[in-house]
Amino acid sequence: MRIGKKSRARRTLGFYRSAFGIKQPYRVLAAANLGLDLRVELPKVLGGRAEVVVTRAVVAELRSLGKEFKSATATAKRLPKLDSTGSGQAGAASASVLSAVENGNARRLCVLTEDAALQQRLAALSGVPLLRFARQVIVLEPPQRDERAAAEGAAEELARANDRRAALAPDAPDAAPKKRKRLREPNPLSCKKKKPAPAPTSSGASGEAGIKKKNRENTRLYP
């Protein structure tokens, strides 16, 4: 795939991813000739992993086309089937594809088809990436103008709904004020003034001096 086609495919897939949630691994509902190895070609186009699925009606239609499509029929039989029940009648392939993606494409499918009439009907649906063959090369169709407008309108409506929800929400409660520490009163016993040490009395000082004098006299009398 050329660089220009790769960039266009990347922009297209980016639109479907943001608007409709279609992302890897891509599930591609094939309603076309399965002669190509889609497991190799689709990752090149989509730029990521891809899983090919079919409906039972598609398998029945390929079988009805005869020996020319014998290989494609054998390939389709081995692929995962979207519908576990169903008529599986030939001619119901287009209806089975439309029923798989209508009403919002809840399965997030891409569709690969060669049927021009089916392509037109799929283009009228929103959120369905469409792939087709162009000279044996798979091409991812860009989204339709109406599809872009619908996606933008849905995004705007969602934004307005979020704004209304935010306006109706009650104000957040103010943060509770921090509890201030209570100042404790000082211990009254620790506030009592210490008593000053008693000063030596004059009688005590004179008595001590008298004892020293008497000791000196005794020393002189009894050497």
Side-chain angles (χ1 to χ4, degrees):
M1 185 185 292
R2 296 178 181 178
I3 296 177
K5 291 183 178 180
K6 283 186 177 180
S7 61
R8 286 195 295 271
R10 189 163 53 247
R11 288 195 298 269
T12 299
L13 290 172
F15 166 76
Y16 282 111
R17 181 175 57 252
S18 60
F20 301 101
I22 297 175
K23 55 186 178 180
Q24 296 188 49
Y26 300 106
R27 301 184 72 199
V28 180
L29 174 55
N33 182 2
L34 301 178
L36 289 177
D37 190 353
L38 299 181
R39 293 175 298 180
V40 176
E41 297 300 324
L42 284 174
K44 295 179 182 178
V45 178
L46 300 175
R49 294 172 295 160
E51 178 191 14
V52 184
V53 296
V54 294
T55 64
R56 295 184 183 278
V58 168
V59 177
E61 184 169 286
L62 289 172
R63 188 187 299 115
S64 69
L65 295 176
K67 294 182 179 180
E68 186 180 354
F69 292 89
K70 184 177 180 179
S71 176
T73 303
T75 300
K77 286 181 178 179
R78 294 192 296 268
L79 294 174
K81 312 298 187 299
L82 282 184
D83 45 354
S84 57
T85 60
S87 62
Q89 296 177 356
S94 296
S96 68
V97 172
L98 288 170
S99 66
V101 297
E102 62 186 359
N103 297 325
N105 191 13
R107 298 179 181 180
R108 305 291 186 266
L109 297 170
C110 307
V111 178
L112 170 63
T113 180
E114 296 176 283
D115 188 338
L118 180 57
Q119 290 175 7
Q120 291 181 356
R121 298 182 68 178
L122 290 170
L125 302 177
S126 296
V128 184
L130 177 60
L131 298 112
R132 62 178 179 85
F133 285 101
R135 297 178 183 178
Q136 296 301 313
V137 177
I138 299 175
V139 177
L140 176 63
E141 289 290 299
Q144 301 294 318
R145 183 177 299 177
D146 294 342
E147 191 174 23
R148 288 186 178 275
E152 292 174 357
E156 292 177 358
E157 180 61 29
L158 179 61
R160 286 193 293 268
N162 291 335
D163 292 341
R164 289 193 297 267
R165 195 158 42 242
L168 294 175
D171 296 335
D174 297 335
K178 294 183 178 180
K179 189 175 181 180
R180 300 179 64 181
K181 292 184 178 180
R182 184 180 177 182
L183 296 177
R184 296 182 178 179
E185 297 181 357
N187 189 349
L189 296 178
S190 62
C191 297
K192 292 182 68 176
K193 294 183 179 181
K194 295 183 179 180
K195 295 181 179 180
T201 57
S202 59
S203 59
S206 59
E208 186 178 355
I211 293 172
K212 290 181 178 180
K213 183 178 180 181
K214 189 173 182 180
N215 289 338
R216 285 197 298 270
E217 291 177 353
N218 291 335
T219 303
R220 285 196 300 269
L221 292 176
Y222 305 100

